Amino acid sequence: AHNNYSYVSDTTIHRSKEEAFVSDQEVVHEPYLEKILDFEPSKLLVTGKNEDLVELSLVLKESFDNLDIMFSDAVFLEIMEKGVSKGSTLLTLCHDFGWDIKRVIAFGDNENDIDLLKTAGHGVAMDNAVSRVKAVADEITLSNDEDGVAVCLERHFRLGR
C-alpha cells in the first residue's frame, strides 16, 4: 500500500482485495512489484497459502536479521523493518499526546499484536486470538464475533448497554 493504493501482483487472491477495501485503498494490479518500488515501503504484506508463508517466513528470518517477520492472519505475512510495530507506534502516540501508557488498554488477536499488548498498560487478547497472543495478555475477552471489545470496555468502565 502506498498513497491510498494497494499494489497486488495477483488479483485472484480475494483477501488482498478485502484488505484493501477495509483500508479504503484502491487495488492496482502490478505483476512486477519491483517496478513500482520507487519509494521505501513501511511494510510488505504477502498473501498466500499458510504452509507456503510459514516456509517463506523461516527463510526470510534466517536471511534478514534487520526485519521483523510475523503473521497478522494465517494467510497474511507482514515484513517490516525491525522496531516498526504497533507497540512502538503506541509509545509515540502516548508521548505526543501526553497520555500515560499505563492507562491504555489494547486489544489483539494475532502475532502482529503481541508487541502492542506487551507495551500497553493492559493488554487484552480476543478469545479467537492465537495462543502466543493469549500468553502475553493480561486478560482474555470474548471473540470478535461476540463483541469482545465492547464487553471488556463495558466491564472496565462500568458501562451498560
Side-chain angles (χ1 to χ4, degrees):
H2 181 63
N3 291 337
N4 269 8
Y5 294 99
S6 182
Y7 296 95
V8 297
S9 59
D10 184 349
T11 57
T12 64
I13 299 173
H14 283 289
R15 289 296 300 269
S16 299
K17 292 178 184 176
E18 290 171 18
E19 186 72 12
F21 176 78
V22 167
S23 302
D24 195 28
Q25 296 172 334
E26 185 179 330
V27 175
V28 176
H29 179 238
E30 177 51 69
Y32 303 101
L33 294 177
E34 63 273 10
K35 285 186 177 181
I36 56 104
L37 280 179
D38 60 350
F39 57 92
E40 190 171 318
S42 57
K43 173 176 80 172
L44 293 176
L45 178 66
V46 182
T47 61
K49 293 181 194 167
N50 179 259
E51 55 271 16
D52 295 338
L53 294 178
V54 168
E55 188 176 319
L56 175 63
S57 73
L58 295 173
V59 169
L60 291 173
K61 286 177 183 179
E62 200 174 279
S63 304
F64 298 98
D65 60 358
N66 63 326
L67 298 176
D68 278 332
I69 299 154
M70 65 195 73
F71 284 88
S72 56
D73 186 274
V75 295
F76 288 159
L77 182 66
E78 294 187 0
I79 304 166
M80 297 166 286
E81 184 179 344
K82 265 215 190 310
V84 175
S85 70
K86 291 180 180 183
S88 63
T89 301
L90 179 61
L91 281 172
T92 300
L93 285 171
C94 286
H95 177 268
D96 290 353
F97 287 101
W99 300 334
D100 182 354
I101 191 82
K102 294 176 189 151
R103 301 194 63 200
V104 172
I105 298 175
F107 297 86
D109 63 358
N110 225 311
E111 279 187 15
N112 65 332
D113 297 317
I114 290 173
D115 187 51
L116 175 68
L117 298 189
K118 289 167 78 174
T119 303
H122 190 75
V124 182
M126 309 306 293
D127 190 50
N128 55 291
V130 296
S131 59
R132 290 186 60 213
V133 172
K134 289 179 177 179
V136 302
D138 299 305
E139 176 184 352
I140 298 172
T141 189
L142 299 176
S143 73
N144 294 336
D145 293 334
E146 298 170 301
D147 296 331
V149 172
V151 169
C152 180
L153 291 175
E154 287 169 353
R155 189 176 63 257
H156 279 276
F157 295 104
R158 294 175 183 85
L159 303 171
R161 287 189 183 204

